[in-house]
Amino acid sequence: MDKELNKLILLEQERQNKGIELIASENYTSKDVREACGSILTNKYAEGFPGHRYYGGCEYVDAVENLAIERACKLFNCKFANVQPHSGSQANAAAYRALLPEGGKILSLVLNDGGHLTHGSPVSFSSHLYNFVHYPLKNGHLDYDEIERIAIEEKPNLILAGYSAYPYTIDFKRFKDIANKVGAYFMVDMAHIAGLVATGLHSSPIPYADVVTSTTHKTLRGPRGGLILTNNEELIKKINSAIFPYYQGGPLEHIIAGKAICFKEAMSDEFKQYVKQLMINTKACADKFKELGAKVSGTDNHLFLINVLDTYGINGKEAQIALEEIGITTNKNMIPNDTLSPGKTSGLRIGFAAVTTRGCTKEQAEQVAIIINDYLSNKLDKEKAKELVLGLTSNWKQIQDI
Ligand code: DSN
């Protein structure tokens, strides 16, 4: 391979191997997924959908894409899937287009409380094409009575659930009841919890939502990409034409092949055990922080939030930078009722999807809390902290062997 580039890939591999990866949206794919994504399928143009392509020579990529669609439908127990979105953002854009006209009203979570950019941020296409109104969290939790009150007042065309930094279970049935009451569509962006939903460790939005969007690379542990699911035959037609030709061009059939492998892997007992361990580790780390006196959210899933400003007297950006210096990767995150800007934040978001794939145990998850707590409260010097991090990661699987 190109030596200059290969050197950079090996440096990134070393960073991933030596570090403790706590960004809640990251994970490590299997070798099979990586091989599919690096395969000759990248050579093929296949604009359109299986059986209806703009170019010839699509016999095998049709079979690849059909396999991915069949497996996605089986995994999530739904009727229709579009596996072409390049990311969760494109999936959301296509879902909105399928569900409502430009200017339509969408009710979503207040962004600083844990929503995603495509859920109405002023810097995203979403707020320019649609009219967003928001519901807040109450003491860090969804407040369904308040969501219902706002829905009745605002009469949105679409109610949106599914978040980037919400550590608790979501009651999809309650959302659907509210949507029914005001005559709105209901959509779920399950990107963060897709792996939990796939294994039944979080209830599924499929029986309740008109459309479900997701990414495939977070807790689902597949290649970087998006996914759209629905049980509605009319909506899948609109979704397909919103993906191609409206928003995207040629699909990435090599990535779609990686998605097909990921969906199969997610049906295995091994994957269910992985998600169970992921949730055990996340809770163990959050509980240990609490025991150490830190201000943390609870957790029912794969992530939690820590208020580093109140706990250690530094903002999220400073905490993120300090932890990176010892080989722990996190991201600064707004917390409910944050008094700082999104560039600084009072919090960090912490997740265990990636390190659990490498073999992190409950005891090691607790040790991670101790290292972070002691380092951020200046009880542990930088060199000793780095040593402790390497002590943990050298015992875990090397990411190229996963
Ligand atoms: N950037 C992702 C996350 O970190 O949650 C959301 O797309």
Side-chain angles (χ1 to χ4, degrees):
M1 197 207 274
D2 173 336
K3 283 203 177 77
E4 200 179 350
L5 190 70
N6 196 39
K7 192 172 151 199
L8 294 173
I9 293 174
L10 290 175
L11 283 169
E12 171 61 10
Q13 181 173 296
E14 186 183 1
R15 187 195 70 80
Q16 291 187 18
N17 274 324
K18 287 190 171 164
I20 296 180
E21 179 55 73
L22 298 179
I23 293 177
S25 48
E26 296 202 6
N27 214 327
Y28 304 108
T29 57
S30 69
K31 212 173 196 168
D32 285 354
V33 167
R34 294 197 303 278
E35 273 176 15
C37 294
S39 73
I40 51 84
L41 293 172
T42 193
N43 298 338
K44 188 70 196 105
Y45 240 127
E47 283 165 321
F49 293 94
H52 307 278
R53 304 287 193 183
Y54 277 61
Y55 298 116
C58 288
E59 179 185 355
Y60 300 113
V61 291
D62 273 7
V64 167
E65 190 165 335
N66 276 330
L67 193 58
I69 291 169
E70 273 166 36
R71 289 180 180 176
C73 290
K74 187 171 173 201
L75 178 65
F76 291 107
N77 194 20
C78 74
K79 290 191 184 138
F80 307 104
N82 184 309
V83 295
Q84 292 190 3
H86 301 330
S87 74
S89 295
Q90 270 99 335
N92 285 344
Y96 296 155
R97 184 170 166 79
L99 289 169
L100 67 168
E102 281 188 19
K105 195 185 264 191
I106 304 178
L107 175 60
S108 67
L109 178 66
V110 167
L111 296 170
N112 288 350
D113 283 1
H116 186 253
L117 289 177
T118 56
H119 299 181
S121 161
V123 296
S124 143
F125 75 91
S126 54
S127 65
H128 297 266
L129 293 184
Y130 304 100
N131 172 20
F132 278 83
V133 288
H134 298 290
Y135 51 87
L137 295 181
K138 185 177 173 188
N139 301 322
H141 288 75
L142 289 165
D143 176 356
Y144 297 95
D145 291 341
E146 178 65 359
I147 296 167
E148 182 170 330
R149 189 194 65 72
I150 297 172
I152 290 169
E153 190 176 296
E154 293 286 350
K155 297 185 184 49
N157 305 103
L158 172 66
I159 298 180
L160 180 58
Y163 317 102
S164 297
Y166 186 67
Y168 304 110
T169 303
I170 306 167
D171 184 345
F172 297 125
K173 183 178 180 310
R174 185 72 207 276
F175 265 111
K176 178 64 176 168
D177 290 344
I178 296 170
N180 281 345
K181 199 164 188 173
V182 299
Y185 277 120
F186 176 42
M187 170 178 155
V188 174
D189 174 349
M190 67 167 183
H192 263 269
I193 56 168
L196 283 66
V197 170
T199 49
L201 294 163
H202 188 294
S203 70
S204 172
I206 297 290
Y208 307 107
D210 296 286
V211 176
V212 175
T213 59
S214 186
T215 54
T216 47
H217 51 272
K218 297 185 174 86
T219 52
L220 199 53
R221 214 162 66 174
R224 192 160 293 284
L227 170 70
I228 310 176
L229 305 167
T230 183
N231 278 329
N232 183 317
E233 195 166 3
E234 286 313 305
L235 283 178
I236 194 67
K237 288 179 197 155
K238 290 184 181 175
I239 287 164
N240 286 349
S241 50
I243 284 292
F244 176 83
Y246 194 81
Y247 279 119
Q248 293 190 172
L252 310 178
E253 293 296 341
H254 52 306
I255 303 299
I256 290 172
K259 290 175 188 175
I261 294 172
C262 140
F263 300 145
K264 189 174 176 189
E265 288 176 351
M267 290 178 217
S268 67
D269 288 344
E270 184 277 332
F271 188 76
K272 186 162 188 175
Q273 284 312 314
Y274 155 72
V275 179
K276 275 188 185 159
Q277 189 62 46
L278 157 59
M279 293 166 79
I280 289 170
N281 288 349
T282 309
K283 185 162 178 0
C285 187
D287 286 351
K288 180 55 79 177
F289 266 117
K290 204 167 282 173
E291 194 185 309
L292 294 166
K295 209 166 165 187
V296 283
S297 69
T299 177
D300 301 331
N301 58 22
H302 63 297
L303 65 83
F304 63 89
L305 295 166
I306 172 162
N307 183 335
V308 287
L309 189 66
D310 282 3
T311 309
Y312 306 111
I314 54 174
N315 65 43
K317 184 179 177 187
E318 290 162 336
Q320 178 188 313
I321 292 169
L323 291 172
E324 193 160 355
E325 286 172 358
I326 61 165
I328 296 182
T329 321
T330 57
N331 66 280
K332 62 181 179 299
N333 214 98
M334 297 294 273
I335 54 174
N337 306 315
D338 209 317
T339 50
L340 300 183
S341 67
K344 287 205 169 90
T345 82
S346 301
L348 281 184
R349 183 184 64 166
I350 291 186
F352 273 77
V355 291
T356 304
T357 294
R358 292 188 67 186
C360 176
T361 63
K362 181 178 177 227
E363 292 68 34
Q364 291 169 334
E366 288 168 349
Q367 219 182 319
V368 168
I370 296 169
I371 297 171
I372 294 176
N373 181 75
D374 288 359
Y375 180 61
L376 293 184
S377 43
N378 300 317
K379 287 183 205 140
L380 189 62
D381 71 43
K382 195 188 278 183
E383 289 317 307
K384 183 68 190 157
K386 276 187 189 170
E387 224 176 88
L388 292 172
V389 167
L390 281 178
L392 280 175
T393 59
S394 60
N395 279 313
W396 292 341
K397 280 183 217 159
Q398 297 293 287
I399 57 119
Q400 64 275 22
D401 299 330
I402 288 165

